[in-house]
Each structure stands twice: as structure tokens, then as C-alpha cells.
Amino acid sequence: YLVVPGSTFQPGPDYPQTQLDRRKRTFFDSAERQFQQGRMFAILIDIDHLGRLDKDQGDEAVAAVLKNLRTTLGSGGNLGHFGGDEFYVTAPGSLEQGLVLAERLRARVASKTTVTVSLGLAARGDSLAEVLSQADQALRQAKSEGRDRVISAV
């Protein structure tokens, strides 16, 4: 799932793989433009313990998390969800601004849904791929340290 500011697109549950590939490309093209324009950060978000829920509960949890991420993010960045329990956010700004947003996202999901999320944040790197890799490592650390937290790559 890709949220582009101003878009009202809502994919169905059986959206074709070619469309998923197109949404991924659109999301990463937009993120790459942000990276090339200067300061930007990336946040990777994972729903904690989603596998413990049955399919209906899991689908409801994913929808609720997506709604709350979208509401909190507004039009200030890009939100991507390509299936499963992982979401991507990219936005212009500093690491400090990313930390503030990441904590707002975490707190909103915890207060408005029945699940929690772990978040990994990064803002420095020689390429978008490096920034995303660092955010992924920070996400893994957040999960290993107990979940329901934000960890920033240094």
C-alpha cells in the first residue's frame, strides 16, 4: 500500500502483484527524490506479535495501524505498506525530527489500537539503500530489546 499526498487510492485485498510492484517502485522513486534533495529520514515499522493473531484479527490490526500511521503522518511524507506487518515511512528532515515523528507514530498506534509497533529510524548514509538498511538494523534492535519502542541508528 502506498500513500501519496492527495491520493485517494484504496487497493483491494487481492490486488495483482504487478500493481504491488508498481506501488513499490513509486514509493522508492519518491524516497529517492527526497534523498537526493538533501536531509531525509526513513522509519521502518513492524507490528509487534502480529503472528499471534488469527487472520481476521491480523487483518483488522493491519488496517487500524495503517489508518493511524496515515493520520499521524498527514501529508508530510511517504507511507508504504507492501504486505505483512511492515511499513515504511520516508520524509524530509533531520534525525531529530524523525525521532519526534517516530515516537508520535508509536504512541498513536499504542493508544488507538490493540497492538503495538516497533520502529527503526535512520537519517544518514551515502545512498537511500544504506539509510533503509540502517533503519532495518535499528528495527531489529527495537524488536530484540522488547518491542514497542523506537531505536535510532547512530
Side-chain angles (χ1 to χ4, degrees), residues 43-49 98-99 101-107 109-110 115-121 135-153:
I43 305 169
L44 271 60
I45 305 162
D46 188 78
I47 300 174
D48 297 330
H49 305 296
L99 277 169
L101 177 60
E103 183 53 35
R104 283 182 42 226
L105 294 169
R106 188 207 61 74
V109 169
V115 296
T116 60
V117 291
S118 298
L119 301 91
L121 167 70
D136 185 55
Q137 290 171 7
L139 172 61
R140 291 172 196 241
Q141 183 179 347
K143 291 167 68 174
S144 72
E145 290 185 10
R147 303 177 192 270
D148 189 23
R149 66 191 66 225
V150 175
I151 297 290
S152 172

